[in-house]
Amino acid sequence: MPAISYKRHRFSPQIIAHAVWLYYRFPLSLRLVEEMLLERGIVVSYETIRRWGLKFGPDYSRRLGRKRPGPNDIWHLDEVVISIAGDIGFGRAVDQDGYVLDEIVQNRRNIKAAKRLLTRLLKKQGVAPKRMITDKLRSYGAAKRQVMPDVEHRSHKGLNNRAENSHVPLRKRERVMQGFRSPGSLQRFVSIFSALRNLFVPPRSKRSALATHIHRLQAMAEWEAAVGKLA
């Protein structure tokens, strides 16, 4: 990918990238990020921080490294209901480690919506999973038979806690932001939010404190390389 251009911006790339990182990595409002930068002597408005996120956030997320999929992966699929001028269906897929594979805003919870999510997943991952786990929504089973007929499918609410738990960080952000304004803003936000979370949150396995610390240092180095701070 071509290098990110920061031309015609008064602030340095380090400040811009740090502001975007603070906003998408932690449950902070734009005004809180503005205050944290002010404490460091950086006077910038929350509206400028919002524009930085919209402009540079998608580029950052595209440059972040992604987990290499494997044939033994297990996909957990679930729906989240977001209130935006009425309830909006939000399809999400995570793997066995809680890594977010894809998220898509859809107005319906039917076979067509489930098929669209599965088709996007196969295109992105390039390989089918060992197993797919969903709740009792029947449209997933019907779509799976059309898109991935050979993949094992388990439909049980109790088995899908991995997907349910993955909703918690997004729900926290939804409360901090006092809701989302439109389906488009929701889709743009989660694509950046989940990319950073995938990078910085260690896999769901037993890790020592040292291993977790090393993982976060490696994630920070990968982030700095992605935003061009090491270029």
Side-chain angles (χ1 to χ4, degrees), residues 5-230:
S5 175
Y6 294 94
K7 292 181 179 179
R8 296 186 296 277
H9 283 273
R10 179 164 60 93
F11 292 91
S12 67
Q14 289 81 1
I15 293 176
I16 294 173
H18 187 65
V20 174
W21 177 72
L22 285 174
Y23 179 61
Y24 286 99
R25 178 67 186 92
F26 303 103
L28 299 170
S29 67
L30 289 168
R31 293 181 185 272
L32 286 176
V33 176
E34 175 187 1
E35 187 174 340
M36 293 176 70
L37 294 177
L38 181 62
E39 189 273 334
R40 296 192 173 195
I42 303 169
V43 182
V44 58
S45 70
Y46 70 90
E47 179 61 24
T48 297
I49 298 170
R50 184 187 70 83
R51 290 197 297 266
W52 287 346
L54 291 176
K55 180 176 181 179
F56 295 104
D59 279 336
Y60 293 164
S61 63
R62 282 193 292 267
R63 284 167 168 76
L64 294 177
R66 295 187 178 274
K67 180 180 178 182
R68 182 172 298 176
N72 292 324
D73 281 354
I74 300 173
W75 292 358
H76 298 257
L77 280 68
D78 197 14
E79 294 283 330
V80 185
V81 177
I82 304 291
S83 295
I84 306 175
D87 291 340
I88 297 294
F90 185 51
R92 300 183 78 242
V94 301
D95 68 6
Q96 66 277 6
D97 295 318
Y99 185 95
V100 178
L101 302 173
D102 199 6
E103 297 166 303
I104 181 172
V105 178
Q106 304 195 88
N107 293 327
R108 300 181 183 277
R109 300 178 65 195
N110 53 20
I111 297 177
K112 183 178 179 181
K115 184 177 178 180
R116 184 184 178 196
L117 176 59
L118 290 178
T119 303
R120 278 171 55 107
L121 280 168
L122 275 178
K123 184 177 180 180
K124 280 189 173 183
Q125 300 300 305
V127 60
K130 173 184 178 181
R131 185 182 307 126
M132 186 179 85
I133 298 177
T134 67
D135 56 18
K136 291 290 187 177
L137 189 64
R138 294 184 178 180
S139 58
Y140 282 124
K144 195 276 304 182
R145 287 192 290 271
Q146 297 180 34
V147 180
M148 302 182 299
D150 298 328
V151 173
E152 178 186 355
H153 178 211
R154 296 184 184 180
S155 177
H156 191 281
K157 189 173 181 64
L159 295 174
N160 212 25
N161 288 335
R162 182 71 71 212
E164 295 288 344
N165 293 337
S166 73
H167 302 333
V168 175
L170 180 60
R171 290 299 190 189
K172 288 182 179 179
R173 290 310 307 262
E174 184 184 16
R175 289 193 295 270
V176 169
M177 300 170 65
Q178 299 180 358
F180 296 95
R181 300 295 182 263
S182 68
S185 65
L186 170 62
Q187 186 71 68
R188 287 190 297 270
F189 178 85
V190 296
S191 65
I192 306 168
F193 173 76
S194 295
L196 264 73
R197 180 169 176 78
N198 284 343
L199 176 64
F200 282 95
V201 176
R204 293 176 178 269
S205 59
K206 292 183 179 180
R207 283 175 168 268
S208 66
L210 177 60
T212 300
H213 183 66
I214 293 174
H215 171 85
R216 288 173 176 162
L217 288 176
Q218 292 172 340
M220 184 59 71
E222 190 171 341
W223 163 256
E224 292 179 344
V227 303
K229 293 169 69 174
L230 299 182

